[in-house]
């Protein structure tokens, strides 16, 4: 600190109507300001290096002992109101030298360290009545503050409702985006099952002709001739193939409908143990049409325990990451799904070989409505929704991206939900 700064600091401390006393670790007086000298009638030169209780015997109280425990052992700033405890030091508030009543003395005791790292205590003594002399101004300020608080709470409630509506809109947009693809996935097997049924109807008609001919035929040779003319052997073999193919088609439709049913529980709000790999496979079935023409999907699953989560919400996160990965690939590339387990944490990862994200945009990707996709292709809410879901699960999302080479998102989740959220800071890490 230069001389100018020292002069300013001295002017402040020596000319305020607050008592400032500095004590060492043994509560020996190191310094006090002019206010203490004038109010106590005692000189600093005679009190320096003397125990506080020797100069001011009234400070030898359990109250100060309790304050010291909090300040010394826990590093707290300990504040007491004038009406809460006996005054530590009996100082009048009138500095004119005439006898005066005691001030409404409030105190603040706090620890700090000298430049050479020696521990010290600061003790501030001031008249609380000076803080409330203009009650009209104080009441007006409190009224204004209360009004602002009510307005803020109303705004927070409105924002909360708007946020919930936006999140629901994103969910509906995601369903709408997948509807055409899911319809295609279902229409394909339904199409050939319908075609097979038409063929089977013709075969059944021919088989019934053969059966009916048994009763009216003059000889067995006549029935055999009819069987040959209707190509009975071909029909018999083709019927088995058609039935097998139709069973596969119906099973595929059942698989898609089951995946949609499991995926669509958007509103669940209870944590339960779930198999994340099963959730990933369900999500892949739902978004298959978005991925199949853009990328080869590679699974590199590790060993995962059952994870306490809201499964459909985690599925929503992974769907958003998978669809984004497909949109990031211009022609045809690769999307790799990985999973792993480290201590009390599990992670899921989606990596693509797409365009990547520019470094200056990485810090904005979780902002609502921010998107790098062309107009009409993205709402800008997918990653924001995913970020909020993961945070609600007390997890975090990491993103690693190299422009022109691809992007990797890793979602970390606790295997068991903690009683208190472990992550209070932003948990995004960029590379």
């Amino acid at each position: 600190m230069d001389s100018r700064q020292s002069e300013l600091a001295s002017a402040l401390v020596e000319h305020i109507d607050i008592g400032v006393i500095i004590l060492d670790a043994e509560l020996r007086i190191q310094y006090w300001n002019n206010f203490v000298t004038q109010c106590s009638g005692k000189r600093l030169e005679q009190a320096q290096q003397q125990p506080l209780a020797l100069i001011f015997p009234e400070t030898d109280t359990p109250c100060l002992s309790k304050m010291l425990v909090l300040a010394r052992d826990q590093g707290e700033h300990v504040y007491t109101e004038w009406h809460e405890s006996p005054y530590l030091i009996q100082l009048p508030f009138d500095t004119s030298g005439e006898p005066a009543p005691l001030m409404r003395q409030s105190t603040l005791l706090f620890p700090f360290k000298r430049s050479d790292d020696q521990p010290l205590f600061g003790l501030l003594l001031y008249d609380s009545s000076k803080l409330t002399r203009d009650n009209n101004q104080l009441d007006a300020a409190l009224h204004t503050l209360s009004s602002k608080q009510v307005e803020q709470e109303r705004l927070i409630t409105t924002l909360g409702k708007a946020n919930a509506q936006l999140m629901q809109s994103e969910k509906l947009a995601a369903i709408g985006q997948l509807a055409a693809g899911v319809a295609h996935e279902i229409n394909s097997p339904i199409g050939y099952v319908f075609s097979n049924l038409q063929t089977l109807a013709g075969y059944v008609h021919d088989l019934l002709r053969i059966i009916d001919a048994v009763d009216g035929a003059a000889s067995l040779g006549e029935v055999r001739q009819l069987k040959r003319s209707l190509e009975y052997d071909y029909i018999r073999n083709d019927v088995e193939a058609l039935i097998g193919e139709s069973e596969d088609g119906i099973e595929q439709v059942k698989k898609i409908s089951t995946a949609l049913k499991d995926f669509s529980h958007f509103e669940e709000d209870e944590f339960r143990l779930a198999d994340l790999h099963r959730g990933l496979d369900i999500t892949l079935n739902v978004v298959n049409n978005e991925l199949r023409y853009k990328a080869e999907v590679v699974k590199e699953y590790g060993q995962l325990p059952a994870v306490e989560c809201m499964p459909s919400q985690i599925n929503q996160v992974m769907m958003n990451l998978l669809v984004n990965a497909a949109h990031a690939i211009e022609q045809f590339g690769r999307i790799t799904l990985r999973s792993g387990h480290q201590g009390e944490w599990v992670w899921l990862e989606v990596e693509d070989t797409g365009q990547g994200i520019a470094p200056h945009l990485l810090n904005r990707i979780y902002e609502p409505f921010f998107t790098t996709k062309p107009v009409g292709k993205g709402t800008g809410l997918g990653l924001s929704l995913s970020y909020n879901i993961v945070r609600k699960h007390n997890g975090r999302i990491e993103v690693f991206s190299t422009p022109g080479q691809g992007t990797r998102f890793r979602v970390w989740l606790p295997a068991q939900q903690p009683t208190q959220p472990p992550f209070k800071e932003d948990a995004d890490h960029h590379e």
Side-chain angles (χ1 to χ4, degrees):
M1 182 182 296
D2 59 30
S3 59
R4 177 60 177 166
Q5 292 173 321
S6 298
E7 181 183 346
L8 291 173
S10 176
L12 171 65
V13 174
E14 293 299 337
H15 293 85
I16 56 174
D17 289 340
I18 294 177
V20 179
I21 301 176
I22 297 178
L23 308 169
D24 67 7
E26 304 302 324
L27 297 189
R28 292 188 294 262
I29 296 171
Q30 304 298 303
Y31 165 84
W32 70 44
N33 67 345
N34 188 53
F35 182 86
V36 177
T37 298
Q38 291 183 347
C39 289
S40 67
K42 299 176 182 181
R43 300 177 60 186
L44 175 60
E45 293 79 4
Q46 297 171 344
Q48 276 185 315
Q49 300 303 327
Q50 298 297 322
L52 179 67
L54 180 64
I55 304 301
F56 299 106
E58 64 269 26
T59 60
D60 189 12
T61 65
C63 177
L64 180 60
S65 300
K66 292 178 182 178
M67 294 172 69
L68 282 169
V69 169
L70 294 173
R72 176 186 289 127
D73 299 343
Q74 299 183 30
E76 293 188 9
H77 290 208
V78 188
Y79 173 75
T80 60
E81 286 277 6
W82 64 274
H83 56 79
E84 293 177 340
S85 60
Y87 296 169
L88 287 180
I89 298 176
Q90 302 292 339
L91 298 180
F93 65 79
D94 189 347
T95 59
S96 65
E98 297 296 327
L102 297 177
M103 66 180 181
R104 292 182 177 180
Q105 184 192 109
S106 296
T107 61
L108 176 66
L109 179 70
F110 58 93
F112 68 101
K113 289 185 179 182
R114 207 165 58 182
S115 58
D116 59 1
D117 232 21
Q118 291 298 313
L120 298 170
F121 292 103
L123 180 62
L124 304 185
L125 313 166
Y126 53 94
D127 184 3
S128 295
S129 65
K130 291 184 177 181
L131 301 178
T132 59
R133 283 177 181 168
D134 194 343
N135 288 328
N136 291 333
Q137 290 185 3
L138 179 61
D139 290 343
L142 290 175
H143 177 73
T144 301
L145 180 61
S146 177
S147 300
K148 291 294 184 183
Q149 185 175 4
V150 171
E151 183 181 345
Q152 184 181 39
E153 290 174 354
R154 187 183 300 115
L155 179 60
I156 290 173
T157 301
T158 302
L159 287 174
K161 292 179 180 179
N163 182 66
Q165 291 174 350
L166 284 174
M167 294 303 102
Q168 183 64 23
S169 297
E170 168 59 21
K171 295 171 184 177
L172 294 174
I175 294 175
Q177 182 181 12
L178 296 174
V182 170
H184 177 79
E185 291 291 303
I186 293 177
N187 282 339
S188 180
I190 285 179
Y192 64 72
V193 168
F194 181 74
S195 175
N196 290 349
L197 286 175
Q198 288 182 314
T199 303
L200 283 171
Y203 289 166
V204 168
H205 176 74
D206 291 343
L207 290 173
L208 289 176
R209 285 181 59 191
I210 295 172
I211 293 172
D212 291 341
V214 171
D215 293 333
S219 65
L220 185 60
E222 187 177 337
V223 174
R224 288 173 177 169
Q225 177 60 34
L226 179 62
K227 287 174 63 177
R228 284 193 295 271
S229 65
L230 295 176
E231 298 181 313
Y232 172 79
D233 291 338
Y234 175 81
I235 290 175
R236 180 173 181 174
N237 292 331
D238 200 33
V239 163
E240 293 179 356
L242 290 173
I243 291 175
E245 188 179 69
S246 297
E247 287 177 344
D248 291 341
I250 295 300
E251 186 63 33
Q252 187 175 344
V253 172
K254 181 182 177 182
K255 184 178 179 182
I256 295 171
S257 65
T258 301
L260 282 172
K261 179 182 177 182
D262 292 340
F263 185 82
S264 64
H265 295 160
F266 285 128
E267 302 307 323
E268 68 175 355
D269 57 0
E270 293 184 1
F271 288 91
R272 61 182 176 86
L273 292 177
D275 180 354
L276 294 188
H277 287 158
R278 179 176 180 274
L280 271 174
D281 291 338
I282 288 172
T283 306
L284 283 172
N285 287 334
V286 172
V287 300
N288 182 58
N289 196 65
E290 286 278 337
L291 306 181
R292 66 196 304 179
Y293 303 112
K294 296 300 293 290
E296 171 195 10
V297 177
V298 179
K299 297 181 184 179
E300 296 179 1
Y301 292 170
Q303 295 294 321
L304 293 184
V307 176
E308 188 178 7
C309 65
M310 300 178 193
S312 69
Q313 294 194 10
I314 299 303
N315 292 349
Q316 172 79 26
V317 172
M318 301 312 295
M319 184 201 75
N320 290 338
L321 296 180
L322 285 166
V323 171
N324 284 352
H327 289 172
I329 297 172
E330 291 185 340
Q331 296 181 353
F332 193 86
R334 185 176 66 254
I335 296 175
T336 305
L337 283 173
R338 301 186 184 92
S339 62
H341 182 207
Q342 292 184 13
E344 301 300 318
W345 292 85
V346 300
W347 54 268
L348 302 173
E349 190 172 88
V350 177
E351 182 176 13
D352 64 65
T353 57
Q355 303 173 37
I357 304 171
H360 69 281
L361 298 179
L362 284 175
N363 289 326
R364 300 192 60 195
I365 59 176
Y366 302 114
E367 294 178 12
F369 304 111
F370 177 79
T371 179
T372 58
K373 298 177 184 178
V375 175
K377 196 166 187 179
T379 63
L381 290 172
L383 282 179
S384 178
L385 171 63
S386 300
Y387 178 84
N388 289 332
I389 290 174
V390 173
R391 294 282 295 192
K392 183 165 65 175
H393 282 72
N394 298 304
R396 68 185 191 274
I397 302 180
E398 296 175 344
V399 55
F400 309 91
S401 185
T402 302
Q405 297 184 25
T407 303
R408 175 165 57 94
F409 282 91
R410 177 174 286 193
V411 176
W412 288 88
L413 298 170
Q416 298 290 327
Q417 286 297 311
T419 55
Q420 294 293 331
F423 290 95
K424 295 181 180 179
E425 75 285 353
D426 280 338
D428 313 292
H429 302 285
H430 307 312
E431 180 178 82

